[in-house]
Amino acid sequence: MSLPRGIVAPGIVLGATALAGGLAFAWGTLVERKMFTLRRVVVPVLPPDAEPIRVLHVSDLHMAPWQRDKQAWVRSLAQLKPDLVVDTGDNLGHENGIEGIEAAFAGFDGIPGVYVNGSNDYHGPMRKNWLRYLVRHSGGAKEAPADLDTPRLERFFREGLGWTSLNNAVGSLTVKGTRLDFFGVDDPHIGRDRLDRLTGLIDSQQDEESLDEDASDAERTVTIGVAHAPYRRVLASFVTHGAQVIFAGHTHGGQVCVPFFGALVTNCDIPRRQVKGLSLWRHAYRTAHLHVSAGLGTSIYAPVRFACLPEATLLTLVPAAR
């Protein structure tokens, strides 16, 4: 029995769909997740007449020791000679991932940097049903103790590279004549952030710096907030506390996206349209530039990216328009 003209057999449709899905999975697993990409954006935020500052934003490496190609690509970024590195966490992706991180950032010593931790810097990757992300994000406090070598990671960043921890902390650097005041939080995705402490930390920082600065110094200051996961409550608090630029990661840009539609999930409560890249975050009549990195890695148990290239970003901070 033949089907009427114009009607396609269900088996053919199912077969074609399965083939397309298989090809997409193969592409995302074997090809795209290794297509490391450097994005470049310009952020108009500096005081008038300030020299441009180049900031390398890296995030979500989820490093395993055997990922030599990713390590080599990250290591090559040192040749860009950025003025500052901002690392927004989830560096580790395996119990021996620190070995890969040390190899990846070899050559970055002497380049100033700041960092915060993500949940995967404390807890190793787990097998899970990834479809549940379509229903709700995976955030929530984890009572289990850390099972990764977080102290070694932080020692490498602080002592090996000279970077400043912003895990519920503040810091300050002067780069090309502009003072950058930082504040940050430990990972909000697992409840390690202490937003309640920010006001006190920032006030203490400002009190100390006011003893050494004059009015012209204050005018040449840019305030930067740093967190791993860009939850709305965190972004709102950062803007309230005066952040002019905010750096975050965590979302993987959706990791698996639909062409011409974008991310299906964000794994937090940030709007999908701001799941990656540069945008503006507004709260209570204040606005900050928000940069969310789509990151460079994936869980070793979900090694796929689709329509969402792994990335680092070189942001050039320039004077704001008057």
Side-chain angles (χ1 to χ4, degrees):
M1 177 180 174
S2 61
L3 292 171
R5 183 175 298 177
I7 297 179
V8 180
I12 296 177
V13 174
L14 290 175
T17 301
L19 177 61
L23 291 174
F25 181 78
W27 169 265
T29 302
L30 301 176
V31 180
E32 184 168 336
R33 74 180 178 91
K34 296 184 178 182
M35 294 174 64
F36 306 116
T37 301
L38 179 68
R39 302 198 185 280
R40 298 173 185 263
V41 299
V42 175
V43 187
V45 70
L46 295 184
D49 304 320
E51 288 190 62
I53 297 173
R54 302 199 310 158
V55 181
L56 178 64
H57 184 190
V58 294
S59 194
D60 297 87
L61 277 74
H62 293 276
M63 187 67 76
W66 61 80
Q67 294 171 335
R68 307 295 185 190
D69 50 352
K70 182 162 54 179
Q71 294 162 25
W73 191 83
V74 173
R75 190 162 54 246
S76 73
L77 296 176
Q79 299 172 13
L80 297 170
K81 300 186 183 303
D83 302 306
L84 174 72
V85 178
V86 176
D87 185 312
T88 47
D90 272 8
N91 290 280
L92 303 180
H94 183 273
E95 61 182 2
N96 296 321
I98 180 58
E99 299 171 9
I101 290 299
E102 290 172 346
F105 287 107
F108 276 77
D109 54 304
I111 301 176
V114 295
Y115 72 92
V116 292
N117 293 341
S119 62
N120 287 278
D121 296 319
Y122 299 103
H123 304 283
M126 298 180 293
R127 297 182 186 274
K128 59 183 72 174
N129 178 8
W130 299 100
L131 292 177
R132 71 178 186 174
Y133 285 83
L134 296 173
V135 179
R136 64 181 299 273
H137 63 72
S138 64
K142 296 182 179 178
E143 300 298 332
D147 55 13
L148 296 180
D149 198 348
T150 311
R152 180 175 168 183
L153 174 71
E154 295 211 58
R155 282 196 305 273
F156 173 64
F157 282 163
R158 291 196 313 268
E159 300 171 16
L161 299 179
W163 292 358
T164 298
S165 170
L166 295 177
N167 288 308
N168 299 319
V170 298
S172 183
L173 292 169
T174 298
V175 179
K176 292 185 172 179
T178 298
R179 195 180 75 226
L180 306 178
D181 281 349
F182 300 93
F183 55 77
V185 291
D186 205 342
D187 191 7
H189 193 60
I190 53 173
R192 296 182 71 102
D193 58 299
R194 291 299 306 274
L195 293 173
D196 56 310
R197 295 177 54 194
L198 271 187
T199 299
L201 291 171
I202 294 169
D203 286 348
S204 297
Q205 179 188 52
Q206 292 175 343
D207 288 344
E208 292 177 5
E209 291 173 347
S210 66
L211 299 176
D212 303 316
E213 71 176 15
D214 56 30
S216 61
D217 292 328
E219 292 173 357
R220 299 187 67 82
T221 298
V222 174
T223 303
I224 298 174
V226 183
H228 175 64
Y231 280 86
R232 293 172 185 256
R233 60 184 174 81
V234 175
L235 302 179
S237 180
F238 279 10
V239 172
T240 298
H241 285 91
Q244 295 162 270
V245 186
I246 301 172
F247 290 90
H250 175 71
T251 66
H252 294 197
Q255 187 167 327
V256 175
C257 299
V258 176
F260 309 110
F261 177 79
L264 297 175
V265 298
T266 66
N267 201 21
C268 63
D269 62 359
I270 193 172
R272 284 192 310 105
R273 68 181 184 278
Q274 293 176 279
V275 71
K276 66 178 178 180
L278 186 67
S279 63
L280 294 175
W281 189 265
R282 296 180 174 85
H283 176 73
Y285 306 106
R286 295 186 178 185
T287 302
H289 296 278
L290 169 65
H291 188 262
V292 179
S293 173
L296 283 163
T298 68
S299 168
I300 59 176
Y301 296 123
V304 60
R305 279 181 175 259
F306 188 78
C308 187
L309 295 172
E311 66 177 40
T313 306
L314 188 66
L315 300 95
T316 301
L317 311 186
V318 298
R322 298 185 180 182

